[in-house]
Amino acid sequence: MKSLDGAATVVDHGGSLGRARALFPHAPQPFVDLSTGINPHSYPFFDLPATALSRLPEAARVRELAEVAASVYGAPSAANVVATPGTQILLPRVASLASPGKALVLGPTYAEHHRAAAIAGHAVTEVDVFEVLAGADLAIIVNPNNPDGRIIERKKLLDLAGKLRAKGGLLVVDEAFMDVGPHAESLAGDVEQGGIVVLRSFGKFFGLAGLRLGFALADALTVEQLEAQFGPWAVAGPALEYGIRALADSGWRAEMRCRLAEDAARLDALFGRFGVSVAGGTTLFRYIGLADAAGLFSALGERGILLRHFSGRPHVLRAGLPGPDEEWQRLESALADWAQQRDDNTKEVKQ
Amino acid sequence: MKSLDGAATVVDHGGSLGRARALFPHAPQPFVDLSTGINPHSYPFFDLPATALSRLPEAARVRELAEVAASVYGAPSAANVVATPGTQILLPRVASLASPGKALVLGPTYAEHHRAAAIAGHAVTEVDVFEVLAGADLAIIVNPNNPDGRIIERKKLLDLAGKLRAKGGLLVVDEAFMDVGPHAESLAGDVEQGGIVVLRSFGKFFGLAGLRLGFALADALTVEQLEAQFGPWAVAGPALEYGIRALADSGWRAEMRCRLAEDAARLDALFGRFGVSVAGGTTLFRYIGLADAAGLFSALGERGILLRHFSGRPHVLRAGLPGPDEEWQRLESALADWAQQRDDNTKEVKQ
């Protein structure tokens, strides 16, 4: 853990097997990693042309990517899209579009927004009432929210954006999980109004988080400002090639949305069988509220099943989707063990 | 061409086949692209583990990369290394380490330094006398220089760094081509003194420019500041895997340095046979001064051979190394055609 000059501390994240091994050194491996919201069913791998590795990415290919992204995400045009190596790297640059001032993040949510706004020089506060955001110079909302799946309606967002714009403020909507809907609440089509930046993530829905590909959608002038910060060749050849092919694959996207919805329902049912109720989420991750969430996290972790816990919030967990059948079976048997032990303990107390 | 608020204009670069096709629509294809300084002999491709694409990059793997980079580049330790998706994306962040002030770039050199310093808020001037740099808040030197190969001695650089440091200034040394030497003039080992940032490029020497991997070497505190800007997962899985393997391959690196030296000598001899003299460069590119450089550029371009020309500098060219034999042959025959035409024209004038 490193501390930053006048900024937030580096935060814990899901998705690290190194951290998992340190936490649960005696767990059976490989881990079943449900600590992220990354789709376990990756877009099918394909052979890349050698030039994707050897040559500098071509500007024409970057334009193609921006065009398909604009079309799929619903942005007015490719001029409203900047592609970058992941959305993560965008956060401080987007936060820097607003002069240092008062940043409000609708929480609880993805912790990196707080950190990024702080290193961009803002005084950052997490708030839990939507209406308060109107008092910000920079307002940040994750929609649908991570980890609880909370959805803010587009109408309310546009109203907020209008208020912020009127005083030179900026609304950032992180739509990292909007690929699984509800699309009607996306602001992608509204960015040309100005004062709005929408973030979209490629790696989560397509299960290709290692490629590093993300997008900011904004008015064309803001897109130019962001492009200037990243320079030419920001997106690597492999990310360009996968991005263009996968985004354009509307059949895969539609089927995957169905499959994820089925998997999410199956996961809810599985948790439910053991008395764990799912309180929200998206179809890429489920949000669990449980008095003994910490106990469940540890019990599953010791059996090699990683959920996401949140420091300072001992009663909630997030669970991504298992992939292959074996992962479902391991989760089921770990839950059964945990429930058995819980029930035994309850009996002991009663005796 | 887009113009940026108060900053330089987006600059032309080598390495774009799209631009080549627009310039020389009737040229035989594929183009022999000698417009960059990227090694045509890429590090051998290998199969990536699926997780390099599907999973978020692991922090432990990023540390491994920083360790091997520190060792190969000669930085004091991994704490002096930040890995990023290309050096390009580092430039505005590094320029922003110095408060907006007077930036001096030792020119003529790679144009992106000027642009990046400008968007970081500096008043940027290109100077051609080394000693003038001591008057800067931010001084930028490419060493060895692109395109002419000019080398500034480490002793002089350290002296300059000391002067800048004494007044809170920063020296940036872009060692993008230092893989091919002269290593003794590298400041990689000196960065812990503070006030020095050294940039190293992975893609050029290893011929993997599409992967996007670059490094900044600096004192540990500055490395932390830069890491905070890029966040976790800045480097994609494929770049991590190639970076670790290729940098650690000392045999390949040593052999490649020899091979490039031989190729560069062969290229000089080839140009020399047609009366084109090479005035400098590195073994990854050669620097040509020629009264009719513009004519040579066009004549080769029409034959599908791309050199790098520089706007506003009609008497110089840069030539990268051909790769396969066929490329050498095409260059030779294009040069022969050009020389023949030149000699015919000379005769006509004399008649």
Side-chain angles (χ1 to χ4, degrees):
Chain A
M1 292 287 221
K2 289 169 177 177
S3 66
L4 304 169
D5 260 26
T9 303
V10 171
V11 289
D12 163 45
H13 295 284
S16 169
L17 293 181
R19 186 167 178 276
R21 282 186 209 103
L23 270 176
F24 303 110
H26 308 299
Q29 299 202 18
F31 280 102
V32 176
D33 185 8
L34 311 181
S35 71
T36 77
I38 299 164
N39 184 354
H41 312 297
S42 299
Y43 189 81
F45 296 147
F46 58 87
D47 285 336
L48 292 167
T51 51
L53 301 189
S54 62
R55 289 187 57 86
L56 284 168
E58 284 283 334
R61 208 80 181 123
V62 178
R63 277 195 299 275
E64 262 184 84
L65 177 64
E67 273 158 23
V68 66
S71 156
V72 169
Y73 294 142
S77 86
N80 300 108
V81 177
V82 55
T84 56
T87 34
Q88 183 63 44
I89 211 166
L90 267 165
L91 303 187
R93 302 284 71 75
V94 168
S96 296
L97 291 170
S99 304
K102 182 177 171 183
L104 299 179
V105 182
L106 188 61
T109 193
Y110 183 56
E112 284 287 325
H113 286 294
H114 190 127
R115 191 187 70 85
I119 65 171
H122 297 282
V124 193
T125 311
E126 192 171 290
V127 300
D128 52 10
V129 178
F130 174 81
E131 284 66 28
V132 175
L133 296 173
D137 299 301
L138 169 67
I140 302 173
I141 296 170
V142 181
N143 200 40
N145 193 41
N146 172 10
D148 61 4
R150 173 195 59 213
I151 287 156
I152 309 283
E153 288 169 32
R154 172 167 168 269
K155 200 171 155 293
K156 286 176 73 178
L157 293 171
L158 286 177
D159 183 54
L160 172 62
K163 286 178 188 160
L164 295 176
R165 189 187 311 120
K167 56 175 186 172
L170 177 68
L171 172 64
V172 175
V173 185
D174 180 353
E175 298 186 353
F177 294 97
M178 189 56 91
D179 302 71
V180 292
H183 300 156
E185 311 307 344
S186 170
L187 289 202
D190 305 297
V191 292
E192 193 51 44
Q193 294 178 17
I196 301 170
V197 175
V198 170
L199 302 174
R200 299 294 298 240
S201 163
F202 176 81
K204 294 177 182 70
F205 176 65
F206 290 98
L208 294 168
L211 274 182
R212 312 312 297 139
L213 180 59
F215 300 90
L217 316 178
D219 61 278
L221 195 66
T222 300
V223 163
E224 284 190 25
Q225 287 176 335
L226 288 171
E227 282 178 343
Q229 294 288 338
F230 289 97
W233 321 304
V235 174
L240 268 179
E241 296 306 316
Y242 271 93
I244 291 168
R245 186 179 299 196
L247 280 168
D249 192 341
S250 57
W252 189 91
R253 285 189 287 114
E255 273 175 44
M256 186 50 65
R257 275 194 296 270
C258 287
R259 180 174 187 179
L260 292 170
E262 288 166 6
D263 283 2
R266 178 179 172 189
L267 187 58
D268 288 5
L270 179 59
F271 279 123
R273 274 176 47 206
F274 298 101
V276 177
S277 68
V278 171
T282 71
T283 62
L284 280 165
F285 59 82
R286 309 305 292 157
Y287 182 64
I288 294 164
L290 189 71
D292 187 26
L296 178 59
F297 175 79
S298 298
L300 293 191
E302 281 157 16
R303 288 162 180 84
I305 317 283
L306 296 171
L307 303 189
R308 176 81 165 92
H309 65 161
F310 301 90
S311 62
R313 303 179 65 208
H315 307 307
V316 301
L317 291 172
R318 191 187 65 192
L321 302 177
D325 272 345
E326 195 216 332
E327 294 194 352
W328 286 94
Q329 286 155 17
R330 284 185 61 191
L331 173 62
E332 180 170 356
S333 91
L335 279 169
D337 286 356
W338 166 79
Q340 183 68 51
Q341 200 159 4
R342 175 194 58 187
D343 297 347
D344 289 352
N345 289 348
T346 313
K347 273 181 212 155
E348 274 173 35
V349 170
K350 284 186 184 164
Q351 278 169 355
Chain B
M1 293 289 216
K2 291 169 175 176
S3 65
L4 304 169
D5 261 26
T9 303
V10 171
V11 288
D12 163 45
H13 295 285
S16 168
L17 294 180
R19 185 166 180 277
R21 283 186 207 104
L23 270 177
F24 304 110
H26 308 299
Q29 298 202 16
F31 279 102
V32 176
D33 185 7
L34 312 182
S35 71
T36 77
I38 299 164
N39 185 353
H41 312 295
S42 298
Y43 189 81
F45 295 147
F46 58 87
D47 285 336
L48 292 167
T51 51
L53 301 188
S54 63
R55 289 187 56 86
L56 284 168
E58 283 284 335
R61 209 77 183 125
V62 177
R63 277 195 300 274
E64 263 183 84
L65 177 63
E67 272 158 24
V68 65
S71 155
V72 168
Y73 294 143
S77 86
N80 300 108
V81 177
V82 56
T84 57
T87 33
Q88 183 62 42
I89 212 165
L90 267 164
L91 303 187
R93 303 284 70 76
V94 167
S96 296
L97 292 170
S99 303
K102 181 178 172 183
L104 300 179
V105 182
L106 188 61
T109 193
Y110 184 56
E112 284 286 325
H113 285 294
H114 190 128
R115 190 187 71 84
I119 67 171
H122 298 282
V124 193
T125 311
E126 191 172 290
V127 300
D128 52 11
V129 178
F130 174 81
E131 283 67 26
V132 175
L133 295 173
D137 299 301
L138 169 66
I140 303 173
I141 296 170
V142 181
N143 200 40
N145 193 41
N146 170 10
D148 61 4
R150 174 195 58 214
I151 288 155
I152 308 283
E153 288 168 33
R154 173 169 168 267
K155 199 169 156 294
K156 286 176 73 178
L157 293 171
L158 286 177
D159 182 55
L160 172 62
K163 286 178 188 160
L164 296 176
R165 189 187 311 120
K167 55 175 187 173
L170 177 68
L171 172 63
V172 175
V173 185
D174 179 354
E175 298 186 353
F177 294 97
M178 189 55 92
D179 301 71
V180 291
H183 301 155
E185 311 308 344
S186 170
L187 289 203
D190 305 297
V191 293
E192 193 52 45
Q193 295 178 16
I196 301 171
V197 175
V198 170
L199 303 174
R200 300 292 299 237
S201 164
F202 177 81
K204 294 177 181 70
F205 177 65
F206 290 99
L208 294 168
L211 275 182
R212 312 311 297 139
L213 180 59
F215 300 90
L217 317 178
D219 60 280
L221 195 66
T222 300
V223 163
E224 284 191 25
Q225 287 177 334
L226 289 171
E227 282 177 343
Q229 294 288 338
F230 289 97
W233 320 305
V235 173
L240 268 180
E241 295 306 316
Y242 270 93
I244 291 168
R245 185 179 300 196
L247 280 168
D249 192 340
S250 57
W252 189 91
R253 287 189 286 112
E255 272 175 44
M256 186 50 66
R257 274 194 296 270
C258 287
R259 180 174 186 180
L260 292 170
E262 287 166 6
D263 283 2
R266 178 179 172 189
L267 188 57
D268 289 5
L270 179 59
F271 279 124
R273 272 176 49 205
F274 298 102
V276 176
S277 68
V278 171
T282 71
T283 61
L284 279 165
F285 59 81
R286 309 306 291 157
Y287 183 65
I288 294 165
L290 189 72
D292 189 25
L296 178 59
F297 175 79
S298 298
L300 293 191
E302 280 156 17
R303 288 163 179 84
I305 317 283
L306 296 171
L307 303 189
R308 176 81 164 95
H309 64 159
F310 301 90
S311 62
R313 303 180 65 208
H315 307 307
V316 301
L317 291 171
R318 191 187 66 192
L321 302 178
D325 272 346
E326 195 216 331
E327 294 194 352
W328 286 94
Q329 285 153 17
R330 283 184 61 192
L331 173 61
E332 179 168 0
S333 91
L335 279 169
D337 286 355
W338 166 78
Q340 182 68 51
Q341 201 160 5
R342 175 193 58 186
D343 297 346
D344 290 350
N345 290 347
T346 313
K347 273 180 211 154
E348 274 173 36
V349 170
K350 285 186 180 164
Q351 278 168 359

